[in-house]
Amino acid sequence: MPQRKPDPPETGNTISWDPYGRPIVPDNPVIPFIEGDGTGPDIWRAARPVFDTAVRKAYGGKKKILWLELLAGAKAQDALGPDCLLPDETLEALARYGIAIKGPLTTPVGGGFRSLNVTLRQRLDLYACIRPVRYVPGIPAPVRHPERVDLVIFRENTEDVYAGVEWEAESPAAREILEQINARLSSEGKPPLPIESAVGIKPMSRRNTRRLVARAIQYALDHHYDSVTLVHKGNIMKYTEGAFRDWGYETARELFGERTLTETELFEGFGGRMPPGRIVIKDRIADAMFQQLLLRPEEYGVLATPNLNGDYLSDAAAAQVGGLGMAPGANIGDRCAVFEATHGSAPKYAGMDKVNPGSLILSGVEMLRFMGWEEAGDLIVKALQDTIADGIVTYDLARQMENVKEVSCSAFGAAIQSRMR
Ligand code: NAD
């Protein structure tokens, strides 16, 4: 039975961090994993050997991950009791070891946690939700040119309407707040709000916008993207979303002035030709961004968005290249990063060795790249592409493709491993 305190592997080392929130990774880091609920154990069993094989083949034994299991969700409840969905020991170990990977966790029904995932993000201050969106050749997609999409979405993870400050319609609290607001509106000569309304608050701050945008710009520079686009609805919400745009430009100017320029500067100063070593910072209204994504995706690289825009945009962009089944994700802070499958726990397939482990495997690729182990990540991407090109896929893709062989979750992982050279 798993123990309450995780036993760290004896030979592993702990990751440290530089002042810019980038990890300093030893050759044998301890990396915690959370299997997750439902189909989580199935996809983890398929994915872990893929990561180990890639690291072994890329570095010939010089580097090795020492995995450390942490408990969360149903597995924590089974081991430690019904109130132990997210043990303190798990949060402490995530904070200590810094980089981790997790499967999906079922959202508990009833009191206690709103969502384990939201709790994890808040307790560890994982302020950037990162969703790369790239096409894997051969995957059925609803658009004619999915290969034109190569995006990385940085979604603010801690505020906006997700701060969870709301009052029910006609409740005493909502009435009290509306009375105060209406008094203020009346003094400003504006019409009142209906007193029976529900009320929600949309907080957005300079500090949280700046750290998100700084991380997006640093990522674009490190990974050779040529633009960062601030996506907002500032034409309507001037002091929240409009401020997000303004603080975004301010961050670029103040922290990356030598490396960035605006679209106006690009056209007026450089005739539209990008000077080497720079990236362009632009902004788009959120609704126009959805159109642009369909019509001219090749003009966009890194996107930085407030929480709600980013939620909509990430799922729409993933659908554009063939769906959530293969979409990787990560939640990142300055001292901790948790990589995770973006789909849920798909409980009806639990234990059937059936679902697609692609999202977790590609999340692991992002983790390896974040660690600076690009060679291992590249090996996995190439082998996964070759597996799909050879017509070997799990049921979810098999039912949309012709002339392919449907294999189990574990067999898909094994097929990827066997194609790594
Ligand atoms: P889900 O993603 O589990 O399932 C939606 C559909 O996608 C189902 O038809 C499912 O069978 C299919 N599917 C999911 N993953 C798949 C895979 N890897 N391969 C093939 N098909 C796959 O969403 P849901 O049913 O709404 O949620 C189930 C539980 O997961 C809920 O408790 C939800 O809160 C939770 N959830 C967790 C996370 C997370 O941990 N990050 C994310 C989303 C949902």
Side-chain angles (χ1 to χ4, degrees):
M1 179 152 129
Q3 296 171 354
R4 192 172 178 100
K5 267 215 180 300
D7 270 340
E10 278 168 17
T11 50
N13 284 319
T14 309
I15 288 164
S16 53
W17 298 80
D18 77 8
Y20 306 100
R22 287 182 294 211
I24 302 163
V25 181
D27 282 343
N28 53 353
V30 176
I31 304 275
F33 69 92
I34 294 170
E35 272 194 346
D37 296 325
T39 48
D42 300 59
I43 57 176
W44 176 248
R45 265 194 300 274
R48 174 177 167 163
V50 171
F51 305 144
D52 288 337
T53 305
V55 170
R56 200 179 60 248
K57 296 224 169 184
Y59 307 112
K62 190 171 170 290
K63 293 179 194 279
K64 185 176 184 210
I65 292 175
L66 293 136
W67 299 105
L68 171 66
E69 176 163 20
L70 302 180
L71 298 180
K75 204 162 176 179
Q77 278 182 316
D78 290 348
L80 308 170
D83 295 333
C84 255
L85 271 168
L86 190 56
D88 285 343
E89 290 77 0
T90 293
L91 285 164
E92 281 160 19
L94 288 170
R96 180 170 349 118
Y97 292 108
I99 293 181
I101 186 162
K102 68 175 271 291
L105 291 167
T106 299
T107 302
V109 181
F113 287 95
R114 213 159 120 229
S115 147
L116 293 181
N117 295 305
V118 172
T119 308
L120 264 178
R121 286 168 208 166
Q122 286 174 346
R123 292 281 297 273
L124 297 167
D125 197 21
L126 306 176
Y127 61 81
C129 173
I130 303 179
R131 292 273 291 269
V133 186
R134 300 186 188 103
Y135 180 59
V136 178
I139 300 279
V143 298
R144 264 180 296 173
H145 290 291
E147 73 286 352
R148 290 186 187 161
V149 179
D150 179 0
L151 292 177
V152 184
I153 301 173
F154 280 69
R155 165 186 166 195
E156 205 289 325
N157 228 356
T158 64
E159 53 184 10
D160 196 349
V161 288
Y162 287 73
V165 187
E166 282 193 299
W167 289 275
E168 197 178 345
E170 298 183 57
S171 65
R175 276 181 186 277
E176 187 187 319
I177 288 158
L178 283 164
E179 276 162 14
Q180 285 188 26
I181 293 174
N182 284 344
R184 157 69 66 164
L185 289 173
S186 157
S187 75
E188 293 175 1
K190 293 177 184 156
L193 299 172
I195 195 74
E196 69 280 9
S197 307
V199 181
I201 302 280
K202 180 182 174 75
M204 288 172 64
S205 66
R206 170 183 256 128
R207 168 189 180 261
N208 289 338
T209 301
R210 283 181 67 114
R211 63 183 185 169
L212 184 270
V213 173
R215 202 166 252 289
I217 295 175
Q218 189 63 58
Y219 184 96
L221 290 167
D222 289 347
H223 294 85
H224 311 293
Y225 283 91
D226 62 9
S227 69
V228 172
T229 306
L230 307 164
V231 184
H232 60 90
K233 194 73 187 155
N235 52 335
I236 303 298
M237 293 168 271
K238 296 187 194 315
Y239 301 123
T240 49
E241 305 251 338
F244 178 89
R245 174 201 55 216
D246 297 344
W247 292 325
Y249 280 118
E250 173 190 281
T251 308
R253 209 171 43 246
E254 288 181 10
L255 302 185
F256 302 92
E258 302 288 300
R259 305 291 308 274
T260 60
L261 72 183
T262 62
E263 274 181 306
T264 312
E265 287 163 350
L266 174 63
F267 287 100
E268 288 180 359
F270 298 90
R273 266 203 305 276
M274 278 295 288
R278 299 258 204 131
I279 58 171
V280 64
I281 310 294
K282 45 193 176 182
D283 76 280
R284 296 289 180 269
I285 304 282
D287 39 84
M289 190 65 235
F290 278 89
Q291 290 185 16
Q292 294 279 299
L293 213 57
L294 285 166
L295 300 174
R296 302 156 170 252
E298 63 282 356
E299 292 182 12
Y300 297 89
V302 173
L303 309 183
T305 81
N307 210 335
L308 182 61
N309 293 335
D311 192 1
Y312 297 150
L313 209 50
S314 327
D315 279 13
Q320 194 167 329
V321 298
L324 280 171
M326 301 281 281
N331 292 294
I332 292 181
D334 285 334
R335 292 284 175 280
C336 190
V338 179
F339 293 78
E340 65 175 359
T342 51
H343 55 73
S345 54
K348 71 179 172 187
Y349 294 118
M352 291 168 66
D353 191 21
K354 187 174 171 73
V355 297
N356 188 345
S359 176
L360 188 64
I361 290 174
L362 289 173
S363 300
V365 168
E366 293 306 315
M367 181 179 83
L368 291 166
R369 288 179 171 157
F370 186 74
M371 290 161 60
W373 295 12
E374 276 89 1
E375 300 81 1
D378 292 348
L379 266 185
I380 297 176
V381 171
K382 174 77 172 64
L384 181 122
Q385 288 176 348
D386 290 348
T387 304
I388 290 169
D390 289 344
I392 296 173
V393 290
T394 45
Y395 85 100
D396 52 314
L397 296 176
R399 65 188 174 187
Q400 306 173 60
M401 297 164 77
E402 284 170 10
N403 304 320
V404 291
K405 181 175 171 210
E406 179 182 326
V407 296
S408 66
C409 176
S410 54
F412 185 69
I416 296 173
Q417 280 184 75
S418 70
R419 282 165 179 74
M420 275 183 220
R421 285 179 205 87

